[in-house]
């Protein structure tokens, strides 16, 4: 499966922000955190750091990244809710890692995930991310524990 990464359009950002809602244990509503919502929707704030991910011309995911240290990129990602839990995450994440490594000079990729999101943590470990540390963060209307994970190029 091949995914295409392109800078996100305003229309795509609004679709994701207002229409992508996750249910159950993986509930996350971008509209619940006004700071995150505004950053995602403001084209000047997001710049070229957020990408729409397309497969067969359909918007299937979003992907963000930024440089956080020399040779280190931090990523964030989200798959369309109707596609989650169907075994598509591994291929998507591998494509995202390949995209970063092919286009940006880095040796390490980091990400943060809420510790309640066991499905995502399992996927990240399967792809090669290693647990770094946990921390508490205010987001989405509450304070949650997050796990910082690292992927080292070549491991």
């Amino acid at each position: 499966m091949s995914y295409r990464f392109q800078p996100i359009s305003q229309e795509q950002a609004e679709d994701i922000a207002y229409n992508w809602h996750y249910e159950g244990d993986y509930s996350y509503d971008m509209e619940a955190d006004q700071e995150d919502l505004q950053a995602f929707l403001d084209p000047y704030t997001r710049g070229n750091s957020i990408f729409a991910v397309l497969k067969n011309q359909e918007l299937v995911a979003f992907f963000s990244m930024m440089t956080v240290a020399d040779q280190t990129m931090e990523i964030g990602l989200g798959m369309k809710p109707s596609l989650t839990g169907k075994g598509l995450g591994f291929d998507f994440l591998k494509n995202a890692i390949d995209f970063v490594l092919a286009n940006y000079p880095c040796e390490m990729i980091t990400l943060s995930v809420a510790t309640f999101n066991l499905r995502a943590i399992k996927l990240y470990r399967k792809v090669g991310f290693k647990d770094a540390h946990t921390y508490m963060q205010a987001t989405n209307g509450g304070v949650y524990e997050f796990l910082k994970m690292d992927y080292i190029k070549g491991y």
Side-chain angles (χ1 to χ4, degrees), residues 10 13-14 16-19 28-43 45-46 50 139-140:
Q10 187 63 29
E14 290 175 11
I16 291 166
Y18 297 123
N19 298 317
Y28 178 77
D29 184 350
M30 197 175 289
E31 294 172 272
D33 189 314
Q34 286 301 307
E35 186 177 332
D36 286 350
L37 176 65
Q38 292 308 314
F40 192 81
L41 292 177
D42 182 5
T45 302
R46 71 175 181 259
I50 301 179
T139 188
N140 205 33

Side-chain angles (χ1 to χ4, degrees), residues 102-116:
N103 293 286
Y104 301 89
C106 71
E107 294 296 320
M108 182 165 66
I109 299 170
T110 69
L111 60 76
S112 294
V113 58
T115 56
F116 67 75

Side-chain angles (χ1 to χ4, degrees), residues 23-143:
E23 297 184 12
D25 292 341
Y26 306 102
S27 178
Y28 178 77
D29 184 350
M30 197 175 289
E31 294 172 272
D33 189 314
Q34 286 301 307
E35 186 177 332
D36 286 350
L37 176 65
Q38 292 308 314
F40 192 81
L41 292 177
D42 182 5
Y44 299 106
T45 302
R46 71 175 181 259
N48 293 322
S49 66
I50 301 179
F51 297 83
V53 183
L54 305 173
K55 183 166 190 254
N56 300 325
Q57 304 302 322
E58 178 189 352
L59 178 63
V60 296
F62 68 90
F63 180 74
S64 67
M65 65 182 170
M66 67 180 187
T67 303
V68 291
D70 186 41
Q71 299 289 313
T72 303
M73 299 293 286
E74 183 172 36
I75 65 170
L77 56 143
M79 184 168 270
K80 189 174 190 174
S82 63
L83 300 176
T84 61
K86 298 185 178 190
L88 303 172
F90 184 86
D91 190 49
F92 164 53
L93 185 54
K94 288 297 282 181
N95 273 259
I97 290 168
D98 291 346
F99 174 76
V100 172
L101 296 177
N103 293 286
Y104 301 89
C106 71
E107 294 296 320
M108 182 165 66
I109 299 170
T110 69
L111 60 76
S112 294
V113 58
T115 56
F116 67 75
N117 194 343
L118 299 176
R119 183 170 65 192
I121 293 169
K122 181 179 175 182
L123 168 67
Y124 300 150
R125 288 175 177 156
K126 184 177 178 181
V127 169
F129 280 86
K130 305 292 184 210
D131 298 8
H133 64 273
T134 58
Y135 62 96
M136 301 303 289
Q137 180 173 318
T139 188
N140 205 33
V143 177

